[in-house]
Amino acid sequence: MKDYLNYIPWKFLDEFRGKDFAGEWPTLPEMFSISVKRFGSRPCLTDFEGPDGSKNTMTYAQTERRVLKLAAWLSGNGVKKGDRIAVSGKNAPEWTIVFLASLYTGAVICPIDYALHDSEVENLLNTAKPKFLFVDEEKYPHFSEKTFDFKTYSLSPKYPDQYVYNLFSSEGGILDMPEENDLAAILFTSGTTGKPKGVMLTHKNLVSDCYIAQTRMRLYETDVFYALLPIHHAYTMQAVMIEALSVGAEIVYGKSMAVSRLMKELKEGQITMLLGVPLLFNKLLAGIMKGIKSKGVLVNAAIHVMLTISYLCKKFFKINIGKKLFKTVLEQANIYSLRIAICGGGPLADSVFKIYNEMGIDFVQGYGLTETSPIIALNPVEHFKIQSVGQYFFPHMEMKIIDAEKDGVGEVAVKGPMVFKGYYEMPEETAKSFTEDGFFKTGDLGWIDSDGYLMLSGRAKNMIVTNGGKNVYPEEIENLFQLVTDIEQITVQAFVENAASKNEEIEALIYPSDDVFKQLGIEREGHSQDSDVFLLMKLHVDRVNRQLQPYARIKKITILEKPLEMTTTKKVKRTYKK
């Protein structure tokens, strides 16, 4: 067994067991309180909302004081164990203060996507039935002026009387602290019209996953995590916020993926842990490679030779020379301070994964679902497999493939302490999600190698079965277009070529990038269907088709006038059929 599999990141908890927590795992408030004891003077929450965009930082001790102040106010205003408290806003320290303070009262936090329309938010709130809603300044007027069963308060100082930091009660109630099996959060994954699907996660789910994930990746109190993706999403909530708080690390909050702001925060924040989705890493890499190409053919060729040498040294000899070789390139991209970059939320092209590692950045992929708190596989930094989304966390959980085809691909199923309690007020949906022997069915298709590394093929519901009985996974085809800068969006789906036979073939819905229209010297408006646009897209499709088996090749190209709707983790919502 490899040495890293013997590493127990939560060993230090033995010092606090029986004194600071009584269960197998601490609750989230207990976990945070332990970090305050260990790292009280270290930086905890940082944003760039000071005068002229200057940096603001709270230490762990200062953060705890704010959390306890708000928790006392909540308790003094009638919040009891099991009550729901909703929070909806952009990434900010205030969001985390509400998250923690709610849990200190034994309440259940209900994070809500701030990008949803007001009516969609109302639908989720009608299901959650919170006592309080803490909301960003954009939505505060709507929810404060209408009559609801809950009271609305502000995450923004723009409304000082209702601002979360200004709430104080001299008669704070007694905090009814939660236990590890109590419900901690309800995360709504879908169903914003009709009955929303709320994933119920306990303190044990979230805390066990936090520490177990660290068996594949060492974290330190000196790390600086960048909370750039929406924090209401399970991925950022766990992999950035909770992971950082568990080890006494710093969280830097990003509110926008605008390039200028992103570059400023990466540089001034001295980020060491960057967690993102494929779109973010593709954009960063496209900028880096554009700069390299501008140096000319000889320099470009020399750098690619150096990249290959660097990768071989890292992969086979465990020597990282890339950081020194490409220091100037990394400094210009403001990512020289990065220790580790992690991609989740969707498949990443192997070529992207490889180039970051060639440049000396420990770049790995992970995998999970909201229902699994969410991380259930992660590539160990020193033992990564480029084609895998990660090694599952044996021996601390189980993973198996059910209903496998001849090629070994089947549905991924998991069991472990991080698997959710069920869907909120949906017992039938919950029952359908588990096998008879208690494994959660993820809905994802893949296979597991002999070392416990998971290879994903796609979502079961997206799989296309061709006339010859071959399975085609749209995500695998889309993956091959990730570095094509001429394409902003591509979605692969089935179309029926022959209505009589009902044979399914492969179609690509393509939304060209703005660069395409600049290259062609035409406006997008009224020219999306021009033959020159189509021919350029066809060139890219033909190149990819040559890499595919005949049955998986794209037969039809549809150029989109407008981009398809995306989730907050930048994945296209697959509800589109021609």
Side-chain angles (χ1 to χ4, degrees):
M1 184 175 283
K2 295 184 174 69
D3 289 342
Y4 71 92
L5 295 178
N6 297 318
Y7 174 56
I8 306 295
W10 57 90
K11 186 72 177 169
F12 76 93
L13 287 175
D14 290 343
E15 178 188 341
F16 301 91
R17 197 179 301 277
K19 295 179 292 183
D20 293 271
F21 71 99
E24 179 187 3
W25 299 96
T27 63
L28 285 160
E30 288 167 342
M31 183 197 79
F32 178 66
S33 294
I34 289 168
S35 287
V36 175
K37 283 187 175 183
R38 299 175 74 206
F39 309 108
S41 61
R42 289 199 59 81
C44 182
L45 311 181
T46 294
D47 67 11
F48 288 88
E49 297 300 316
D52 300 319
S54 60
K55 189 176 176 182
N56 287 325
T57 299
M58 279 187 280
T59 65
Y60 270 79
Q62 290 168 334
T63 302
E64 183 185 46
R65 286 196 288 274
R66 283 212 155 123
V67 167
L68 292 175
K69 177 186 168 186
L70 179 59
W73 180 89
L74 289 168
S75 181
N77 281 271
V79 173
K80 302 184 297 297
K81 182 179 280 191
D83 286 342
R84 270 83 58 211
I85 293 173
V87 58
S88 183
K90 294 186 182 72
N91 294 2
E94 290 89 341
W95 197 104
T96 297
I97 298 293
V98 170
F99 179 91
L100 288 170
S102 301
L103 299 177
Y104 267 83
T105 69
V108 179
I109 193 74
C110 299
I112 293 175
D113 185 351
Y114 73 87
L116 295 175
H117 298 301
D118 291 342
S119 60
E120 295 173 317
V121 173
E122 286 182 29
N123 192 40
L124 297 182
L125 293 171
N126 287 336
T127 299
K129 297 181 174 59
K131 269 205 167 176
F132 294 102
L133 167 66
F134 291 87
V135 71
D136 247 353
E137 63 183 72
E138 292 92 338
K139 283 184 164 54
Y140 178 79
H142 173 83
F143 287 98
S144 62
E145 290 166 11
K146 291 182 71 173
T147 302
F148 295 101
D149 291 336
F150 53 82
K151 293 181 180 177
T152 302
Y153 291 89
S154 175
L155 293 172
S156 165
K158 184 177 178 180
Y159 300 96
D161 293 343
Q162 311 301 319
Y163 178 42
V164 60
Y165 286 174
N166 295 338
L167 301 177
F168 172 74
S169 173
S170 58
E171 300 178 5
I174 298 171
L175 299 181
D176 192 0
M177 297 285 277
E179 297 177 2
E180 64 176 322
N181 290 310
D182 287 341
L183 195 58
I186 300 174
L187 305 186
F188 293 99
T189 61
S190 60
T192 51
T193 57
K195 180 71 172 175
K197 185 182 278 189
V199 174
M200 297 190 292
L201 298 173
T202 65
H203 287 267
K204 182 177 181 177
N205 290 153
L206 291 163
V207 173
S208 66
D209 192 51
C210 164
Y211 287 116
I212 289 171
Q214 291 175 39
T215 60
R216 301 304 190 268
M217 180 173 294
R218 297 202 180 197
L219 304 177
Y220 305 97
E221 68 270 20
T222 50
D223 276 320
V224 182
F225 286 73
Y226 191 25
L228 179 62
L229 298 175
I231 202 167
H232 74 271
H233 194 278
Y235 177 33
T236 311
M237 183 189 303
Q238 175 67 276
V240 176
M241 185 179 74
I242 296 174
E243 290 286 2
L245 295 177
S246 76
V247 297
E250 181 181 359
I251 306 167
V252 172
Y253 295 84
K255 289 191 176 183
S256 166
M257 280 180 68
V259 175
S260 59
R261 178 152 186 156
L262 174 66
M263 290 296 107
K264 169 187 166 70
E265 291 170 352
L266 281 171
K267 184 178 182 180
E268 295 183 23
Q270 287 296 290
I271 308 299
T272 68
M273 302 291 294
L274 179 60
L275 290 87
V277 291
L279 179 66
L280 169 65
F281 291 115
N282 289 338
K283 273 189 171 183
L284 274 174
L285 185 58
I288 291 170
M289 300 314 288
K290 186 176 180 181
I292 290 173
K293 284 179 183 176
S294 69
K295 304 290 185 184
V297 176
L298 291 177
V299 173
N300 188 24
I303 285 178
H304 277 82
V305 170
M306 290 161 63
L307 286 168
T308 302
I309 294 169
S310 172
Y311 184 77
L312 292 173
C313 288
K314 189 173 189 202
K315 181 65 179 173
F316 298 105
F317 302 106
K318 311 302 179 190
I319 301 171
N320 187 352
I321 63 172
K323 267 287 187 80
K324 289 183 179 178
L325 283 178
F326 302 104
K327 182 178 180 181
T328 303
V329 173
L330 296 173
E331 283 179 336
Q332 287 175 346
N334 293 331
I335 55 174
Y336 182 71
S337 63
L338 287 190
R339 190 170 72 83
I340 296 174
I342 305 174
C343 186
L348 184 76
D350 289 354
S351 53
V352 178
F353 184 101
K354 188 178 178 185
I355 291 173
Y356 277 106
N357 274 291
E358 287 171 340
M359 289 190 295
I361 291 173
D362 287 330
F363 192 101
V364 298
Q365 295 189 79
Y367 165 70
L369 303 93
T370 304
E371 289 89 343
T372 57
S373 301
I375 315 168
I376 46 175
L378 192 61
N379 262 291
V381 169
E382 300 296 334
H383 303 276
F384 66 86
K385 292 191 179 184
I386 202 165
Q387 71 276 30
S388 172
V389 293
Q391 185 183 53
Y392 79 88
F393 304 138
F394 61 84
H396 310 291
M397 63 168 286
E398 297 175 73
M399 179 181 286
K400 66 179 181 179
I401 302 298
I402 58 176
D403 301 326
E405 301 280 344
K406 290 179 182 177
D407 59 2
V409 173
E411 184 173 5
V412 181
V414 297
K415 182 191 283 188
M418 67 287 292
V419 175
F420 75 138
K421 191 174 183 178
Y423 295 113
Y424 184 59
E425 296 182 340
M426 288 184 165
E428 292 181 4
E429 282 285 331
T430 300
K432 283 193 301 185
S433 299
F434 288 85
T435 63
E436 289 185 3
D437 56 349
F439 278 76
F440 170 64
K441 297 184 288 186
T442 66
D444 285 320
L445 298 170
W447 57 280
I448 303 168
D449 73 7
S450 58
D451 294 319
Y453 286 78
L454 174 65
M455 320 296 168
L456 282 186
S457 299
R459 292 291 291 172
K461 62 185 178 183
N462 298 336
M463 187 177 74
I464 301 166
V465 181
T466 67
N467 185 40
K470 297 287 189 179
N471 295 338
V472 176
Y473 307 104
E475 295 90 343
E476 291 185 346
I477 299 174
E478 293 161 3
N479 204 25
L480 299 172
F481 288 90
Q482 283 197 20
L483 289 183
V484 180
T485 55
D486 286 342
I487 294 176
E488 186 167 322
Q489 278 186 358
I490 181 164
T491 299
V492 171
Q493 64 179 24
F495 78 99
V496 178
E497 187 174 45
N498 187 315
S501 64
K502 298 183 180 178
N503 290 346
E504 285 192 333
E505 297 289 355
I506 314 299
E507 175 185 19
L509 307 180
I510 297 176
Y511 183 69
S513 68
D514 290 340
D515 285 345
V516 167
F517 297 93
K518 287 179 184 175
Q519 288 174 45
L520 297 174
I522 56 177
E523 296 290 327
R524 184 189 292 274
E525 189 83 25
H527 293 281
S528 293
Q529 305 304 320
D530 280 15
S531 59
D532 288 344
V533 175
F534 181 86
L535 288 172
L536 185 54
M537 296 302 103
K538 190 175 183 301
L539 280 174
H540 293 303
V541 169
D542 289 345
R543 178 184 57 78
V544 167
N545 271 344
R546 286 194 289 272
Q547 302 174 53
L548 297 170
Q549 294 295 324
Y551 64 82
R553 288 174 184 162
I554 295 167
K555 298 286 180 65
K556 179 182 178 184
I557 300 170
T558 299
I559 307 297
L560 301 172
E561 301 277 351
K562 294 180 179 179
L564 299 175
E565 188 178 357
M566 301 184 82
T567 67
T568 49
T569 51
K570 306 302 178 186
K571 289 186 285 189
V572 169
K573 292 184 178 180
R574 291 183 185 273
T575 53
Y576 307 94
K577 288 284 181 182
K578 292 297 286 180

